[in-house]
Amino acid sequence: MRNKHVLVLLFLFCWAAPLCSGTPAFSMPTSAAENPYLYKVSLVQAAPGKLLELIDLYKTRVTAYQAAGDEAPLWMRHSQGDHWDLMILFPLGGYSDYYTAERTAKRKQAAKLEEKIKEDIAWQEDLFAYGPPVADLRKAFAGGAFFHVEMFVSLPGRFSDLYKEREMENAYSKALKEPENFIFVRDQGAAWDIFTIGVFRDLKHYAESADVPAKDQQAAAKAAGFEAPSQIGPYLRRFIREHHDTLAVAVK
């Protein structure tokens, strides 16, 4: 019995040690930690027949929220894939910046449209995530009108492997002179651990990778750490429990 008590105490000590020492139980990948810009990400499905009205309401709300000191959101409209109609990225910067008493008060004054917006929504999912600097994202969105969004839930214990795989795919794209994905890492909210956004000029730009010679694809895949281009997908699936793809277009 005494030995069992010792084992239990050792287990509790080992489990609690990171908390007591101040070391976080989870450490964000270095490349994400270097750009810890916070976004609130909303996936919205409009009520039947209400999509265009909802878009107009969001446009009106943007003006009101900017007057309250908030950044204008970046958004896109579903074309094919997942069931949401709109993805809206609200740049927050950080929790302490966004939730100051002054900005919160101004935001409440500007929130008169919220109830009407809620009436036009059938389903909504929110996620707080860390991603690239907002200036980089705005520059890409300014030059692009077609988007490839991938959303992932990692297998237990495989988050770091999934994040690394996303970086490997970016290395592959860079070698082929194709747009790299913007990587976002979950902080709280919906279940998605990581999502990425690829920004393209149009559908033709998105499809250009099919024209890359096979030998160049093979060389780029090897340099990025993959066995071959055909093995990128199977390699990714070693680390994920769930994966949703969506193609989207700019909101006009």
Side-chain angles (χ1 to χ4, degrees), residues 9-25:
L9 288 171
L10 284 172
F11 171 79
L12 291 173
F13 176 80
C14 292
W15 177 83
L19 301 178
C20 296
S21 66
T23 302

Side-chain angles (χ1 to χ4, degrees), residues 27-43:
S27 58
M28 189 180 293
T30 303
S31 51
E34 290 171 355
N35 295 314
Y37 196 96
L38 184 68
Y39 296 84
K40 178 186 175 184
V41 185
S42 293
L43 302 176

Side-chain angles (χ1 to χ4, degrees), residues 37 39 66 70-75 89-91 132-144 182 199:
Y37 196 96
Y39 296 84
Q66 282 184 286
D70 290 346
E71 287 251 15
L74 299 109
W75 56 339
L89 297 99
F90 298 93
V134 67
D136 293 350
L137 203 58
R138 288 198 188 282
K139 182 179 179 181
F141 273 55
F182 291 101
V199 185

Side-chain angles (χ1 to χ4, degrees), residues 23-241:
T23 302
F26 164 75
S27 58
M28 189 180 293
T30 303
S31 51
E34 290 171 355
N35 295 314
Y37 196 96
L38 184 68
Y39 296 84
K40 178 186 175 184
V41 185
S42 293
L43 302 176
V44 178
Q45 183 178 9
K50 294 293 187 178
L51 177 58
L52 296 182
E53 179 177 294
L54 180 61
I55 289 174
D56 286 339
L57 286 170
Y58 273 126
K59 288 179 179 179
T60 302
R61 193 180 75 166
V62 165
T63 302
Y65 272 56
Q66 282 184 286
D70 290 346
E71 287 251 15
L74 299 109
W75 56 339
M76 63 188 72
R77 177 176 172 176
H78 164 277
S79 175
Q80 53 184 299
D82 210 346
H83 70 286
W84 49 264
D85 293 313
L86 300 171
M87 171 182 270
I88 311 169
L89 297 99
F90 298 93
L92 306 188
Y95 291 113
S96 60
D97 298 328
Y98 187 72
Y99 288 109
T100 61
E102 181 181 1
R103 285 182 64 180
T104 299
K106 289 182 178 179
R107 200 176 299 119
K108 286 181 179 179
Q109 293 174 4
K112 297 177 181 179
L113 293 173
E114 291 300 331
E115 289 304 316
K116 181 58 178 174
I117 286 174
K118 289 178 181 177
E119 292 175 4
D120 285 354
I121 293 175
W123 172 91
Q124 180 171 334
E125 184 176 72
D126 295 317
L127 175 71
F128 289 87
Y130 287 101
V134 67
D136 293 350
L137 203 58
R138 288 198 188 282
K139 182 179 179 181
F141 273 55
F146 192 84
F147 309 91
H148 180 211
V149 180
E150 294 186 83
M151 308 188 76
F152 308 91
V153 177
S154 68
L155 287 170
R158 306 311 297 269
F159 174 88
S160 295
D161 295 317
L162 173 58
Y163 189 92
K164 178 63 177 176
E165 191 281 338
R166 294 283 81 198
E167 292 185 313
M168 289 167 63
E169 284 207 38
N170 274 350
Y172 174 74
S173 297
K174 185 176 182 179
L176 297 179
K177 296 181 174 57
E178 296 174 358
E180 298 175 50
N181 287 313
F182 291 101
I183 302 175
F184 296 80
V185 176
R186 176 187 184 274
D187 183 60
Q188 59 178 311
W192 308 106
D193 292 309
I194 289 175
F195 73 92
T196 59
I197 300 176
V199 185
F200 302 86
R201 292 188 302 274
D202 48 32
L203 178 60
K204 183 179 179 181
H205 186 203
Y206 172 70
E208 281 181 2
S209 60
D211 298 329
V212 176
K215 64 179 180 60
D216 293 339
Q217 293 186 41
Q218 179 66 27
K222 285 282 190 180
F226 299 108
E227 292 180 7
S230 62
Q231 294 304 305
I232 294 176
Y235 183 77
L236 167 65
R237 282 163 178 77
R238 298 179 188 181
F239 314 127
I240 57 175
R241 181 176 68 81

